Amino acid sequence: MKSLFHLAYNVRDLEEARSFYGQILGCQEGRSAPTWIDFDFFGHEISLHIGEPFKTAATGQVGDHMVPMPHLGVILEYTDWCLVAEKLKTAQISFVLEPTVRFEGEPGEQWTMFFYDPSGNPIEIKGFKDMDKVFAA
């Protein structure tokens, strides 16, 4: 079964979100209204609505790192992940977890990075050299 994921969440400022998601991350803008914007978030739909973002805390332990929970994210092919990491570095985005590899040499080896959007929503982007290993145990 093939599907697309849809997630709607709050941002404080639509123009700031439009700039971040559209210009920095390179997501294509879709439909919009005065109180929300849809984006193609790497092949999935996110709907950003004016409001107070969800509360998060660094309670998720992955390896040696505590990561913000809850968070949203996407898994990309490694070469695409590298392009996004470079865009974020060029835009001088502060990282919660700098672009790095984890589980190196193990099943599920992946590259990851954590950062916040301008409203404080945590985002993780993972990269895999072999997408067939995403669910490897």
Side-chain angles (χ1 to χ4, degrees), residues 20-29 39-42 46:
F20 180 79
Y21 287 90
Q23 294 173 11
I24 294 174
L25 289 181
C27 298
Q28 181 72 36
E29 186 173 332
F39 282 99
D40 175 343
F41 186 73
F42 305 97
I46 58 171

Side-chain angles (χ1 to χ4, degrees), residues 35-102:
T35 60
W36 57 267
I37 307 170
D38 285 347
F39 282 99
D40 175 343
F41 186 73
F42 305 97
H44 303 279
E45 182 186 55
I46 58 171
S47 295
L48 307 179
H49 293 254
I50 289 290
E52 189 60 30
F54 52 85
K55 292 181 184 201
T56 65
T59 59
Q61 185 167 1
V62 182
D64 296 331
H65 303 283
M66 297 301 289
V67 298
M69 296 296 290
H71 61 265
L72 69 113
V74 67
I75 299 171
L76 302 175
E77 295 269 351
Y78 175 71
T79 53
D80 293 332
W81 180 89
C82 290
L83 293 172
V84 173
E86 195 54 43
K87 282 183 185 180
L88 292 167
K89 288 178 187 176
T90 299
Q92 299 182 338
I93 298 301
S94 294
F95 290 94
V96 173
L97 178 60
E98 294 277 340
T100 189
V101 64
R102 66 179 171 200

Side-chain angles (χ1 to χ4, degrees), residues 10-19 37 48-51 118-119:
N10 290 333
V11 295
R12 291 187 184 99
D13 183 305
L14 287 181
E15 289 310 311
E16 197 173 49
R18 182 175 271 126
S19 174
I37 307 170
L48 307 179
H49 293 254
I50 289 290
S119 292

Side-chain angles (χ1 to χ4, degrees), residues 128-136:
F128 278 77
K129 288 187 176 177
D130 183 351
M131 295 296 273
D132 291 332
K133 304 282 184 183
V134 170
F135 298 105

